[in-house]
Amino acid sequence: MINAMSRTQFLRLAALSATVLVLPSAVFADGDEITRDMILNDPETPTGGNPNGELTVVDFFDYNCPYCKAAAKSLEKVVKADGNIRLVYKDWPILHPTSIIGARLALAAKYQRKYLLVHHALMEIPGYGIEQAKMIEAARGTGIDAARLESDMTTHADDIARLVKRNLDIAESIGFQGTPGFLVGAFKVNQALNEQGFMRVVADARARQKG
């Protein structure tokens, strides 16, 4: 996790197990209603995995977060191997000025049905404080229509801004302290997990759903 916390604070937080989060039917952030359905089923939010999966995992991330990138690789492997998980991508650009550039590139790619291509390309860029030019290069390297991408970033700028704002409000309402953050069924996880960690919390979430 990267935010204003110290390394000691991070290690203390990383030692905590997943906590149960009972998602409210509705909460309010800055006067706007945030519903359970908005968190899990916002039609503007990109998704992956099995669209009909019995378990939903929501990933809150920042393209400048090395911990997000490490955790994302583990999560994607678990989702692919499991075959019955729906994955929701919540772009949460909070760490660096270029984080919003990455979010805008990926979310604009959605209008070409290329969100996942650009998302994965941006997540493959190592490090923190990534230059804007490097992000643009990575997006173009996916073979996306670059001219349309630029056009969609302008045409859909307000829609993208509203979606990012909703993600920010949702993360705040849930109580995440920094990136990465995950909702795995009823569980809130505010740390980077490896494959074994995700498999364990997925199993716990399924057991809770069945119970």
Side-chain angles (χ1 to χ4, degrees):
M1 179 188 307
I2 297 179
N3 59 6
M5 68 173 58
S6 68
R7 179 66 177 173
T8 300
Q9 289 173 314
F10 166 71
L11 291 173
R12 185 179 300 120
L13 178 60
L16 298 177
S17 60
T19 57
V20 175
L21 173 70
V22 179
L23 294 180
S25 58
V27 294
F28 292 85
D30 295 333
D32 295 325
E33 184 180 36
I34 295 175
T35 65
R36 176 190 179 91
D37 196 52
M38 182 190 296
I39 296 171
L40 301 180
N41 302 303
D42 186 334
E44 299 300 317
T45 300
T47 60
N50 182 346
N52 299 311
E54 66 177 5
L55 180 71
T56 294
V57 175
V58 186
D59 181 4
F60 291 80
F61 61 89
D62 185 302
Y63 292 115
N64 274 299
C65 172
Y67 298 103
C68 297
K69 297 170 188 179
K73 290 182 180 179
S74 297
L75 177 57
E76 296 277 358
K77 289 179 181 178
V78 171
V79 170
K80 183 177 181 179
D82 183 281
N84 204 15
I85 296 174
R86 175 174 170 266
L87 185 54
V88 177
Y89 297 92
K90 295 286 190 184
D91 290 79
W92 189 22
I94 59 173
L95 300 179
H96 190 274
T98 61
S99 296
I100 188 61
I101 300 299
R104 290 180 62 210
L105 284 166
L107 292 171
K110 178 185 66 173
Y111 297 98
Q112 294 186 51
R113 300 182 183 276
K114 299 291 180 65
Y115 173 85
L116 288 179
L117 278 178
V118 174
H119 168 76
H120 289 138
L122 294 173
M123 292 296 270
E124 285 295 323
I125 305 174
Y128 168 79
I130 303 166
E131 295 178 356
Q132 176 176 323
K134 187 172 290 188
M135 288 185 170
I136 294 173
E137 180 183 3
R140 289 178 173 173
T142 65
I144 196 169
D145 184 332
R148 181 177 172 185
L149 179 64
E150 183 174 350
S151 174
D152 284 336
M153 287 179 69
T154 300
T155 302
H156 300 285
D158 289 343
D159 293 330
I160 291 171
R162 281 191 290 267
L163 176 55
V164 170
K165 176 63 164 55
R166 286 201 299 276
N167 292 347
L168 293 169
D169 289 344
I170 290 168
E172 181 180 354
S173 72
I174 290 170
F176 283 132
Q177 298 300 308
T179 56
F182 304 94
L183 298 179
V184 184
F187 291 95
K188 178 177 75 172
V189 182
N190 205 177
Q191 58 181 320
L193 299 179
N194 57 20
E195 287 182 59
Q196 291 72 27
F198 278 118
M199 290 172 64
R200 184 169 59 251
V201 73
V202 162
D204 290 345
R206 282 196 169 121
R208 185 176 179 83
Q209 282 186 173
K210 292 177 181 178

